[in-house]
Amino acid sequence: MNQSMQIRSALTGEQLPSLSTAWIQSVVASQSSAPPSARTLPALVATTKAQLLGSDWAAPGLFDGSPPGFPQQLLSSSAGSVQETRLPQDIIVQVLDIENLSQSRWQQVQALEAIERGEQKRGREIIRVTADGDGGEETDSPSTGGGGTGAPGRGAAGRTQAPPDTNATHRLVLQDVSGNKVFAVELVRIHRIGIGRLRIGEKLVLKAGTVAARGTLLLDPTSVKFLGGQIEAMNSAWLKGRLQRLREAAQAEQ
């Protein structure tokens, strides 16, 4: 088995789609001048995976063949009149948009501005959002000078866990590898989904049997697997564009 096939096999074993040989070879070639430790098979698998999760999966030439996308029944003009259908197989998608339907426009503006600054506020505390985006946070409190050890619920490194937004409901725009877009809504709260927690361009697996009602996918913790990643340029553009649209809409409501 040649190197490209070994890399492809390793990644498909992680439930990632089968990559084209040409794309894998381009990643391997980009590492030709890297140190020998970066050109071992495990290192090349990790590099290829990272580049894959940061790529636009709707771009041509990425995959070997065509991974399954949204069924035609979900994409047809009559999808809105179908009371319920289910995905016949697992489908890989990427996130194009996320909205917290439980927040007002001004609340959404404030949340996005906090993400843009790299921090969020809770009471008199400043919560610096960490890069993992999974709810871990670092808290500076004016009363302790930031990182004091006496604050309850805070570890030695000054970290505290944010309370989960248990009452939120999010709506996503998801795109399959063919470029088709479908709305998805949380039917049951999924903590991994949140503004600043789920990134634009992040990759998901929608599992076979996921329900779609009147053209909208209904998500619960058992129906989706998070693969990670993001498309940096798309995420930055989304944050700026969404902030501008929300500001304009919120100002118009005043």
Side-chain angles (χ1 to χ4, degrees), residues 68-101:
F70 294 125
Q72 190 57 42
Q73 185 181 15
L74 189 57
L75 301 174
S76 69
S77 58
S78 61
S81 63
V82 178
Q83 185 171 353
E84 183 179 306
T85 185
R86 293 178 181 269
L87 297 183
Q89 57 191 328
D90 290 357
I91 297 174
I92 53 174
V93 297
Q94 59 189 9
V95 178
L96 294 188
D97 192 19
I98 177 171
E99 181 178 4
N100 188 341
L101 301 178

Side-chain angles (χ1 to χ4, degrees), residues 11-209:
L11 293 178
T12 54
E14 297 185 36
Q15 208 174 350
L16 291 167
S18 181
L19 293 167
S20 71
T21 300
W23 194 84
I24 294 174
Q25 289 175 342
S26 70
V27 175
V28 172
S30 71
Q31 299 299 301
S32 59
S33 60
S37 60
R39 289 183 273 119
T40 63
L41 181 60
L44 289 173
V45 169
T47 298
T48 305
K49 179 180 179 180
Q51 293 198 26
L52 172 61
L53 292 177
S55 298
D56 182 355
W57 283 13
L62 185 59
F63 300 117
D64 182 17
S66 181
F70 294 125
Q72 190 57 42
Q73 185 181 15
L74 189 57
L75 301 174
S76 69
S77 58
S78 61
S81 63
V82 178
Q83 185 171 353
E84 183 179 306
T85 185
R86 293 178 181 269
L87 297 183
Q89 57 191 328
D90 290 357
I91 297 174
I92 53 174
V93 297
Q94 59 189 9
V95 178
L96 294 188
D97 192 19
I98 177 171
E99 181 178 4
N100 188 341
L101 301 178
S102 306
Q103 289 184 331
S104 69
R105 289 190 172 96
W106 270 122
Q107 287 174 317
Q108 293 179 62
V109 167
Q110 292 169 346
L112 290 175
E113 287 177 339
I115 293 167
E116 191 175 47
R117 293 192 302 269
E119 62 183 36
Q120 295 177 339
K121 292 183 178 179
R122 184 172 64 217
R124 297 181 60 216
E125 297 177 327
I126 297 176
I127 305 167
R128 287 181 172 79
V129 182
T130 57
D132 59 20
D134 277 339
E137 299 170 340
E138 295 180 3
T139 305
D140 290 345
S141 172
S143 62
T144 62
T149 58
R154 187 182 307 164
R159 291 173 61 86
T160 184
Q161 194 72 13
D165 42 356
T166 53
N167 296 323
T169 299
H170 294 88
R171 180 174 63 187
L172 310 178
V173 176
L174 302 177
Q175 182 183 47
D176 67 13
V177 295
S178 298
N180 300 307
K181 302 172 187 176
V182 169
F183 282 114
V185 173
E186 289 177 295
L187 182 64
V188 178
R189 182 73 184 100
I190 304 171
H191 179 62
R192 183 64 175 75
I193 295 177
I195 305 293
R197 190 178 302 135
L198 186 68
R199 305 305 176 97
I200 303 303
E202 185 161 345
K203 312 305 189 286
L204 317 176
V205 177
L206 301 178
K207 298 182 181 180

